[in-house]
Amino acid sequence: MKFITEYDLRTQFNKRPFTNYRLEENVRLTPSARQFLIDQRIRIWDGEEGLADVLDKDGKDTPELAKLVNYIEILEAEFLVVISQIMDQNLKISEQIMQLKNELSGIRLNLIDGKVDSVVSFDCCPGINEENCCQDLDSCFEIKDFHIQLSNGKLLAQMNFLRAKMRLARIDCTNLFADFEDEKRRITVIESFNRIINKLSQLMCTAAGVQECRWAK
């Protein structure tokens, strides 16, 4: 898969301005590249229809979608920063957070072309399992002040940070899809957000060494 960057497009545009841009097979635009085309009012073609036109038919302005895609790209970068900081603390958890980062990448690609494959797996626990992991479960585990004093305190604080950012992104994504006609696509994206958030809660619970789930009946 080849990615076209904003720098690539600016270089082409400065050499020879254009009003249409056609994506070749196995080629994608980075979010900043797509935003550049939108800002320049350049029509993006992908197959038989202009991709920008398709997004407009769904009921939202393309710039709003591009803004969310850029936000998710920032989230992916934040996941990588956290992973780099915790690898020496807990390799197993850092590998699972990398899996969550890959799921986040899938959400971004879904917003761009409507395709996503979930990669997050769940080890069943009293509160979260394969049946409810895609639902909004609130906080099955909440981090308190004393948690950061534990041996895994830094790890817990970083995962709590990622979970909070994911919840904010889910709100933005929910608002974006509010008027979309593609209900299946909306559900798929929101469920992916929920899977990441719930997995983070599960990892936080494990890292804190909780022996009894507060949701256990």
Side-chain angles (χ1 to χ4, degrees):
M1 180 68 67
K2 178 181 179 181
F3 283 87
I4 301 297
T5 67
E6 179 183 359
Y7 176 80
D8 296 329
L9 293 179
R10 286 187 180 277
T11 300
Q12 295 178 36
F13 190 80
N14 290 336
K15 289 181 177 179
R16 180 178 297 178
F18 49 89
T19 57
N20 293 277
Y21 188 85
R22 183 177 295 277
L23 286 174
E24 302 296 335
E25 186 177 358
N26 295 322
V27 173
R28 294 187 187 279
L29 297 171
T30 64
S32 58
R34 185 176 297 276
Q35 187 62 52
F36 170 77
L37 294 176
I38 293 170
D39 292 342
Q40 298 297 324
R41 298 184 180 278
I42 296 172
R43 198 175 202 185
I44 308 170
W45 289 88
D46 183 11
E48 297 180 356
E49 290 191 85
L51 182 56
D53 290 347
V54 173
L55 294 175
D56 285 340
K57 291 175 185 176
D58 281 340
K60 284 290 181 181
D61 294 334
T62 302
E64 294 182 18
L65 183 60
K67 181 179 179 180
L68 181 58
V69 169
N70 278 318
Y71 180 42
I72 292 177
E73 190 174 43
I74 293 173
L75 279 175
E76 292 178 66
E78 289 177 328
F79 266 73
L80 289 176
V81 170
V82 169
I83 292 168
S84 69
Q85 295 174 342
I86 67 174
M87 288 186 68
D88 60 339
Q89 301 177 49
N90 194 310
L91 182 59
K92 183 177 181 180
I93 287 182
S94 65
E95 289 174 344
Q96 293 185 74
I97 293 179
M98 179 62 80
Q99 188 182 63
L100 299 184
K101 181 268 175 189
N102 292 336
E103 178 91 349
L104 190 58
S105 299
I107 295 176
R108 176 168 52 83
L109 294 178
N110 183 297
L111 292 172
I112 294 174
D113 60 21
K115 299 177 181 179
V116 65
D117 294 317
S118 178
V119 297
V120 176
S121 60
F122 274 86
D123 296 324
C124 295
C125 67
I128 304 175
N129 52 56
E130 286 291 348
E131 294 182 0
N132 66 7
C133 64
C134 292
Q135 302 173 17
D136 181 359
L137 299 179
D138 196 17
S139 294
C140 73
F141 177 79
E142 293 186 22
I143 185 170
K144 305 295 185 181
D145 293 348
F146 73 88
H147 284 117
I148 63 174
Q149 301 176 38
L150 301 175
S151 59
N152 279 334
K154 184 178 180 180
L155 175 61
L156 288 168
Q158 289 167 318
M159 288 194 288
N160 187 56
F161 165 75
L162 291 178
R163 186 176 65 175
K165 293 297 290 287
M166 285 299 303
R167 283 177 173 155
L168 180 60
R170 182 178 61 188
I171 292 174
D172 292 339
C173 194
T174 300
N175 292 337
L176 174 74
F177 278 108
D179 300 325
F180 272 42
E181 296 180 0
D182 192 343
E183 180 70 6
K184 182 177 180 181
R185 183 183 178 199
R186 182 189 70 81
I187 292 175
T188 299
V189 171
I190 299 303
E191 285 184 345
S192 294
F193 270 102
N194 288 337
R195 288 177 69 88
I196 295 175
I197 292 168
N198 293 334
K199 184 65 176 182
L200 282 170
S201 292
Q202 194 178 59
L203 292 175
M204 289 166 64
C205 186
T206 300
V210 174
Q211 299 298 317
E212 183 177 349
C213 178
R214 68 180 181 135
W215 284 6
K217 297 181 179 180

